[in-house]
Amino acid sequence: MGPGERGLKRLIVTGDDFGLSVPVNEAIEIAHTQGILTTTCLMVGAPEAANAIERARRLPGLGVGLHLVVVRGRPVLPPAAVPDLVDGDGGFDTDLVRAGFRFFFLPRVRTQLAAEIRAQFEAFRDSGLVLDHVNAHNHMHLHPTVLGLILKIGGAYGLRAVRLPFEPLVGAGGRRGGRILPRLIRRSFLAPWVALMKWRLRSAGIRCNDYVFGVHDCGRMDRDRLLTVLGRLPDGVSEVFCHPATRPWRDVDPNAERYRFEDEFNALIDPDVRATVARSGAQLITFRDL
């Protein structure tokens, strides 16, 4: 079956931000060996990337993708090589809208962005891991410039699949009311970008999921929300992504301070969650299985 085909439920369960910290790396390893997690995505420039790579090498069944970071993080290249991408402290822009405008309109910024994206692909290649898929921190691969560079550069590094961040209107919340309005607003805003992205991926022969769960409930994919998603999986390929960690750590990104890392980890290894996956009839897969 190719992307978009129906009649079979297939499920990718991803832990994002592999390499960010040891507690994150621990959670991803345990959730894969003792829970339902099938894939992860590596931040090659993160503080504990080497620890993550070491763990991944002993987990041949774990699909490991590249989690490109072009905002709210630090570059792989020296800051002096990408001066228009970083601030005075050498970090990427934390304002996603401003960064997006700069990527689109400023040629010198696009040149440096291409160099940084290539460097992250090269760092992943140097890890010796097989590239399962690619996505970007804060879903910046929805940006047409970022996606274009991924498609242009990625082919030389084994790019075969990309996360499509299309979430059904009623996701983990499961209620038609209350929080449905924010979902509707988000969906309406993202719909044209998702449609363009899907067309570009298919035109390039790149595989993708049909649906994703975890965008609206980012950082809150606890046991109850995960059970709700698993109980109503649509036909086709669904990806559930979360941000697990076994315990708190220092220097958490301020944008993620309210994330329930430990609750998300516990959900992935919960016996009821595992049983619900089995009852759903969904086949647990990685992106490389598409």
Side-chain angles (χ1 to χ4, degrees):
M1 287 178 63
E5 295 183 75
R6 301 295 190 266
L8 176 67
K9 292 180 181 180
R10 296 192 290 174
L11 177 63
I12 299 167
V13 183
T14 306
D16 278 7
D17 298 347
F18 199 34
L20 184 60
S21 69
V22 170
V24 170
N25 296 349
E26 289 174 342
I28 287 170
E29 180 174 7
I30 295 170
H32 176 64
T33 57
Q34 301 179 27
I36 65 169
L37 188 139
T38 64
T39 68
T40 186
C41 41
L42 176 66
M43 306 171 81
V44 293
E48 295 297 338
N51 177 272
I53 292 167
E54 179 183 356
R55 293 172 189 270
R57 286 174 177 163
R58 60 176 183 254
L59 299 170
L62 178 66
V64 183
L66 171 60
H67 196 51
L68 280 168
V69 179
V70 295
V71 293
R72 294 179 179 172
R74 304 188 74 83
V76 169
L77 292 174
V82 286
D84 294 301
L85 297 183
V86 299
D87 58 22
D89 294 325
F92 289 130
D93 201 337
T94 59
D95 186 316
L96 307 188
V97 175
R98 180 174 58 204
F101 275 103
R102 288 170 56 79
F103 294 165
F104 192 83
F105 288 108
L106 299 179
R108 69 179 185 277
V109 172
R110 290 197 299 273
T111 298
Q112 294 172 28
L113 180 66
E116 175 62 25
I117 288 175
R118 186 178 297 279
Q120 292 188 35
F121 269 107
E122 290 179 351
F124 189 97
R125 179 198 60 195
D126 293 345
S127 73
L129 300 173
V130 176
L131 183 64
D132 183 71
H133 68 285
V134 173
N135 58 50
H137 197 44
N138 296 115
H139 303 292
M140 285 299 290
H141 59 300
L142 265 172
H143 190 290
T145 301
V146 176
L147 179 61
L149 291 172
I150 289 172
L151 296 178
K152 180 179 179 180
I153 295 168
Y157 299 91
L159 175 65
R160 296 291 181 273
V162 169
R163 171 189 287 166
L164 182 73
F166 173 68
E167 186 167 37
L169 188 58
V170 178
R175 295 184 295 273
R176 293 191 176 276
R179 294 174 59 201
I180 199 68
L181 182 58
R183 291 180 186 274
L184 183 60
I185 294 171
R186 182 191 295 267
R187 181 184 173 119
S188 298
F189 174 77
L190 292 179
W193 301 107
V194 170
L196 175 62
M197 181 179 183
K198 184 183 296 186
W199 177 82
R200 294 181 72 182
L201 291 176
R202 290 181 175 174
S203 297
I206 301 297
R207 299 295 181 112
C208 64
N209 51 297
D210 295 302
Y211 309 102
V212 75
F213 296 91
V215 176
H216 189 83
D217 295 288
C218 191
R220 303 189 303 273
M221 289 296 285
D222 57 15
R223 177 182 180 276
D224 290 343
R225 287 184 171 88
L226 193 51
L227 286 171
T228 299
V229 167
L230 297 174
R232 58 180 66 187
L233 286 175
D235 287 348
V237 179
S238 296
E239 182 191 10
V240 175
F241 74 91
C242 48
H243 299 81
T246 56
R247 61 187 186 278
W249 72 95
R250 298 177 63 181
D251 302 321
V252 174
D253 186 333
N255 294 290
E257 286 181 343
R258 295 186 179 181
Y259 280 20
R260 295 163 56 184
F261 299 104
E262 293 166 88
D263 287 344
E264 295 200 348
F265 166 59
N266 290 326
L268 291 170
I269 60 174
D270 185 272
D272 290 338
V273 168
R274 299 184 66 174
T276 300
V277 171
R279 288 195 301 270
S280 74
Q283 177 188 4
L284 285 169
I285 64 169
T286 65
F287 277 93
R288 64 178 176 240
D289 297 317
L290 296 178

